[in-house]
Each structure stands twice: as C-alpha cells, then as structure tokens.
Amino acid sequence: MTATMLAGRLDVANRSFAVEEVPVPVPGPGEVLIKVEAAGVCLSDVHLIEGMLKPMYLKGDKVTLGHEVAGTVHTLGEGVATAAVGDRVLLQAGESRDGVTYTRGVDYDGGWAEYALATATTLVPIPDELPFEQACFIPDAVSTPWAAITATGAVRPAEAVGVWGVGGLGAHGVQVLRAVGAFPIVAVDPLPAARERALAFGADAALDPADPEFAARLRAATGGRALDVAFDFAGVAPVREQAMASLGEQGRLVLVGLTDKPLTVTNGTLVSYLRQQIRGHYGSEGKDVVDLVGLVRGGRLDFSRSVSGTFPLAEAARAVEALERKEGNPIRLVLTP
C-alpha cells in the first residue's frame, strides 16, 4: 500500500474543508486499520463545517470527518485477537475513554478517508449480504432514531406517534416505529416527495405541516386521538410548537434534530395540567448498533432504499453541498473511497 491517502479534513479553527493527501495511519496496540469501503454524509458533518457543532476533545485544529463508516479489516495492531484481516465490519460512531465519550470524525479522525484507525472494541461484524453502502450509516442514521424511539421516547405498541421531518433520521424512524408496533404513525413534512416516501416506508398517514386543516387532518388520521409521542427529527423551531400542540395527556415530545434556536412552550399551564414531557435525545449506545445489525440479518429491517446517492471521496465537498441544499431530498448520501 502507498504511504499516503486521501482524507476529507476539516480545520475547525477557520471552518475550511478540503480533501487532502495525508499519511496512512499505523495501528497501535489494540487498534485496527480499516480499508474504508463506504462512509455516510450526515447533517452533523454539515453542522461541524458550519461551526454550529464544535469538537469538545479534539487535539489540535484538524480532523478527518466521518462518523458513519464501514469497510474491511486491513491491518491488526499488537494484541488484537478479536478480528481478522478481511473481516467485513462497521465502526461504532464513538468510544468511551476514561468515562468520556469521544465521537469519531469529531474528537478524533473518522472515515472520510481511504483508511481509518479504529479501536478493536468498536468493530461490529456485518453479514456478507449487507452492502457496505447500507451498513455504514447504521451507527447514526438508524441507531439514533432507534434509541430515540425505544429508549428516550419509550414508545409502546399501539401508541399514536407523530414524526416531524422524514429525512435521514425520520425515514428510518418511520421504519423503526413500524417494527416496534406503533399505531398510527403520522409523518409530517412540507415536501410532497418526503411524504410519499414516508408512506412507502410504513407511515399510516403523511401530512403537510402548512395545511390550514392540519389539526383536523391529524385527528382524522388518528381516529380522534391526540398523539402519545411526537418526534422532532427536523431540528426546526416551529416544528416543536406544532408537535407539542398535537400531544395528549402524558404525551412526550422527543427532540432529536439539532438546532441552536430557543425552545419555547406557548402554553406552559396546559403542559403542566396534561403532565406532558419534553425529552432531549442524542446518539445511541453501542449495543443498539449490534442489535440493529442483528435485525437486518434477520430480515426485520431493510435499508436498500436509504442510499440516495454515492460520491467518490475526492468529491466530498460536493456531497456536503448536495446534502446542505437537500438536492433530491436525500435520505443518506455515501462516500466511496
């Protein structure tokens, strides 16, 4: 192999991003060098480039982006006995170090590169029938809504649930809600194509949030029930007001999409009277990713429709631009080194 490789590098000091030639990393004790086959492009990466998100534990000013990564084991570091060269794996989106969670592609170099370093304990084997392009985004685009739904939202079978925003997180959220037995599932998105996608992915109804008859259409979709749980996957302030107003007694609003805008509650007395809750959510646990791979292996989940487009690593900046502009209303864009 060559001594250098391409990597998508962000200078967090001046928010400049470029694909550069950098040395191929060498795995140390307990580490593995992965030949990257696919890496997801996430809105979190866009937020990092924009400066809305900032690394907390990064040493220095530069980092290789990419927290959604899948590939094959290329080289084993000293003492690694849990993996073998050629293994097909995805990488957990981060790891715990002395009780602190470090995020791949944020606090240390990620997978927008031809090769990536990983601690051996962050490798998750994937079956041969799962393409790398579909496996790479499980550690965030799938595991984040999975954890939001099963843990933070604590959705139970037959609960009425609303999903605001049917993009990379919300589309998988609809699939997961279907899998755990939520009913009805009402998707809310201003884009007609996103609403059509929501129905194809398992939503029972899909509504336009700007519809003057929104409240009446929501009641019709739920049979007159208020929502038990509402998920904001969009990270848009007005969404939260509308979602909160759609909840019933002891309803839960789960905030998954990120925004730095203020969170406001219009009728605080009603929220208290109905004993409603607002719950913040971020990321997932390592076990969630392992469980999801198992569900894919068992045929319970299918992500074959989730890859909206692929870009060569050299065109990573173009992929970021396409996601930022929502060209083609993508679920997930993927880099292929």
Side-chain angles (χ1 to χ4, degrees), residues 149 159-167 169-178 182-211 213-215 217-222 227 229-234 239 242-243 246 329:
I149 289 163
E159 284 195 307
V161 180
V163 173
W164 271 259
V166 194
L169 295 177
H172 294 124
V174 169
Q175 288 179 284
V176 169
L177 285 164
R178 186 90 180 189
F183 178 79
I185 303 166
V186 182
V188 184
D189 199 292
L191 300 177
R195 296 197 295 272
E196 291 175 10
R197 179 168 66 202
L199 294 171
F201 276 34
D204 298 291
L207 306 179
D208 182 348
D211 187 337
E213 300 298 319
F214 175 83
R217 294 187 190 281
L218 179 62
R219 286 194 299 272
T222 62
L227 295 178
V229 194
F231 290 91
D232 171 21
F233 286 112
V239 159
Q242 188 177 59
S246 302
N329 189 24

Side-chain angles (χ1 to χ4, degrees), residues 226 241 243-251 265-278:
E241 291 274 353
M244 196 74 195
S246 302
L247 291 174
E249 189 172 356
Q250 297 190 54
V265 177
T266 299
N267 192 336
T269 299
L270 184 63
V271 171
S272 296
Y273 179 75
L274 295 178
R275 293 169 293 162
Q276 295 171 335
Q277 298 179 14
I278 300 174

Side-chain angles (χ1 to χ4, degrees), residues 6-334:
L6 290 178
R9 302 279 285 171
L10 172 66
D11 188 324
V12 297
N14 57 26
R15 295 187 295 173
S16 63
F17 173 79
V19 177
E20 305 171 349
E21 287 274 351
V22 299
V24 174
V26 177
E31 294 182 328
V32 174
L33 184 67
I34 301 297
K35 182 181 183 299
V36 177
E37 300 290 348
V41 182
C42 176
L43 270 176
S44 296
D45 300 308
V46 176
H47 294 329
L48 281 164
I49 294 171
E50 292 173 339
M52 191 181 106
L53 292 179
K54 298 182 184 298
M56 295 182 64
Y57 308 111
L58 177 67
K59 296 179 179 178
D61 290 330
K62 281 195 170 187
V63 65
T64 299
L65 296 180
H67 55 278
E68 298 181 339
V69 190
T72 55
V73 174
H74 185 277
T75 309
L76 302 177
E78 181 184 348
V80 175
T82 55
V85 172
D87 283 355
R88 303 176 82 254
V89 297
L90 59 75
L91 306 183
Q92 296 280 11
E95 61 185 89
S96 178
R97 304 176 185 176
D98 298 324
V100 176
T101 298
Y102 286 69
T103 302
R104 189 183 309 278
V106 179
D107 300 308
Y108 61 100
D109 286 340
W112 286 13
E114 294 179 86
Y115 296 89
L117 275 185
T119 304
T121 54
T122 64
L123 272 59
V124 178
I126 58 175
D128 292 342
E129 61 270 21
L130 178 59
F132 292 113
E133 290 82 0
Q134 296 174 33
C136 68
F137 52 75
I138 291 177
D140 184 12
V142 184
S143 68
T144 292
W146 168 267
I149 289 163
T150 61
T152 303
V155 174
R156 296 182 291 274
E159 284 195 307
V161 180
V163 173
W164 271 259
V166 194
L169 295 177
H172 294 124
V174 169
Q175 288 179 284
V176 169
L177 285 164
R178 186 90 180 189
V180 302
F183 178 79
I185 303 166
V186 182
V188 184
D189 199 292
L191 300 177
R195 296 197 295 272
E196 291 175 10
R197 179 168 66 202
L199 294 171
F201 276 34
D204 298 291
L207 306 179
D208 182 348
D211 187 337
E213 300 298 319
F214 175 83
R217 294 187 190 281
L218 179 62
R219 286 194 299 272
T222 62
R225 299 166 57 188
L227 295 178
D228 296 299
V229 194
F231 290 91
D232 171 21
F233 286 112
V236 178
V239 159
R240 298 174 170 187
E241 291 274 353
Q242 188 177 59
M244 196 74 195
S246 302
L247 291 174
E249 189 172 356
Q250 297 190 54
R252 292 97 72 196
L253 171 61
V254 182
L255 309 180
V256 187
L258 301 178
T259 176
D260 55 0
K261 301 299 182 182
L263 174 62
T264 59
V265 177
T266 299
N267 192 336
T269 299
L270 184 63
V271 171
S272 296
Y273 179 75
L274 295 178
R275 293 169 293 162
Q276 295 171 335
Q277 298 179 14
I278 300 174
R279 304 180 181 182
H281 180 82
Y282 188 84
S284 62
E285 301 294 331
K287 185 179 182 299
D288 295 323
V289 176
V290 176
D291 289 345
L292 285 164
V293 171
L295 289 171
V296 173
R297 183 184 287 110
R300 298 299 194 271
L301 293 171
D302 176 19
F303 305 128
S304 60
R305 298 171 294 179
S306 296
V307 180
S308 303
T310 60
F311 291 77
L313 175 61
E315 297 180 16
R318 172 76 185 97
V320 170
E321 181 182 1
L323 179 61
E324 187 175 19
R325 295 183 177 181
K326 298 185 178 180
E327 295 177 11
N329 189 24
I331 298 178
R332 236 348 163 239
L333 301 177
V334 176

